[in-house]
Amino acid sequence: MNKVVILRSVVACGVLLVLAFGCGTSTPAPGYGSTAQNASSAGTGAFAWAGTGGGAGTGAGTNTAGTGATTPGNTGGSGSGLSFDVLTHEQGGRYAPQNVGAIWIEDSSGRYVKTLETWYQIRGGHLVKFMSEAAGNQVDAVTAATFGSHTTHHVAWDFTDVNRQPVPNGAYQLIIEVTDSNRPGQWVTVPFTKGSGPQTLTPADQAYYTGMRLSVP
C-alpha cells in the first residue's frame, strides 16, 4: 500500500513538472531568433562594407584622360549627382604602397570648385597640384589619413561648389593626384560636361589609374 502511494506521488509530481515547464523541444522566447538573425546580418554587412569601401582615390599620369566610351542613359551614380570610380596603383616611391592623395573638381578654365576626397597626414604638402589649385580645401570632403595600400575608390559630387551653392551647367574636370614619396606625384584629369544629358564615361587606363568610370545623370 505504501509503495502505491509513493508511485502515485511521483507520477503526480511529473505531471506538475510537465505542466509547469513543458516537455520535449521548447520554442525560443519571442524575439530571440530574430535578434540572432539580425546580428548575423549586421555582421555580414559590416564585413562586406569594410572589404569594399575602404580607401580613397588617387592620381595617375600628368595627362588628360580620354573620355573613352560614352554610354547614354543614367547608368551609374545616385541619380542626383556625379559618381566616379578608380583603382590606383603604386608609383615606385620610397613609401609605397603607402600613399596620399586627393580628388577634386575644377571648371574648364581650371578654377577650383570643390574637393571630393582627400587622404593624407604629414605628407599632404607633396600633393603639389592639389595644394596649388585647391589650397588644401577640404570643405564637405571625405577625409582620411595616409592609406597603407591602393584600392578601388568611389566618390560622389552633388553639383555644388565649396560654398554649397549649385553650379551652372557646362564643362568641368575631375582631377586625381597621388604620391607615395616626398616629391610631387602623378595626376590625371577627366573632363566631363554637366547638363548635356545622362552619360557614362570610361577613360582609357593610365599608368597609375585603371578602371575609371564617371557617371553623370
Side-chain angles (χ1 to χ4, degrees):
M1 182 67 178
N2 292 336
K3 291 182 180 180
V4 172
V5 172
I6 292 172
L7 179 59
R8 287 178 177 176
S9 298
V10 170
V11 171
C13 289
V15 171
L16 290 174
L17 288 172
V18 169
L19 291 175
F21 299 104
C23 61
T25 57
S26 60
T27 301
Y32 179 82
S34 60
T35 300
Q37 180 62 44
N38 289 340
S40 175
S41 298
T44 302
F47 178 81
W49 176 85
T52 60
T58 51
T62 56
N63 302 324
T64 297
T67 55
T70 300
T71 304
N74 185 10
T75 59
S78 63
S80 60
L82 171 150
S83 71
F84 179 73
D85 297 277
V86 62
L87 172 61
T88 64
H89 300 272
E90 293 183 20
Q91 298 181 17
R94 63 178 292 188
Y95 298 114
Q98 296 183 41
N99 63 97
V100 298
I103 303 177
W104 70 99
I105 300 291
E106 295 182 356
D107 63 19
S108 58
S109 64
R111 182 181 65 87
Y112 170 74
V113 176
K114 195 168 192 176
T115 302
L116 305 183
E117 188 168 21
T118 64
W119 59 104
Y120 61 79
Q121 205 161 20
I122 60 174
R123 298 204 310 276
H126 297 293
L127 296 171
V128 176
K129 187 174 181 65
F130 175 65
M131 292 300 170
S132 172
E133 300 180 9
N137 195 303
Q138 296 178 315
V139 172
D140 292 338
V142 175
T143 61
T146 301
F147 274 83
S149 62
H150 293 275
T151 186
T152 298
H153 307 292
H154 174 84
V155 295
W157 181 38
D158 61 359
F159 298 134
T160 63
D161 61 20
V162 70
N163 296 313
R164 299 172 181 165
Q165 298 301 308
V167 299
N169 291 337
Y172 293 87
Q173 52 191 3
L174 181 147
I175 304 173
I176 321 153
E177 181 182 17
V178 70
T179 185
D180 52 17
S181 64
N182 291 330
R183 56 181 173 77
Q186 304 294 312
W187 69 80
V188 65
T189 298
V190 182
F192 64 94
T193 302
K194 174 185 177 295
S196 62
Q199 59 184 302
T200 295
L201 308 176
T202 54
D205 289 346
Q206 305 290 307
Y208 307 108
Y209 305 89
T210 60
M212 290 183 283
R213 180 184 178 89
L214 186 150
S215 296
V216 181

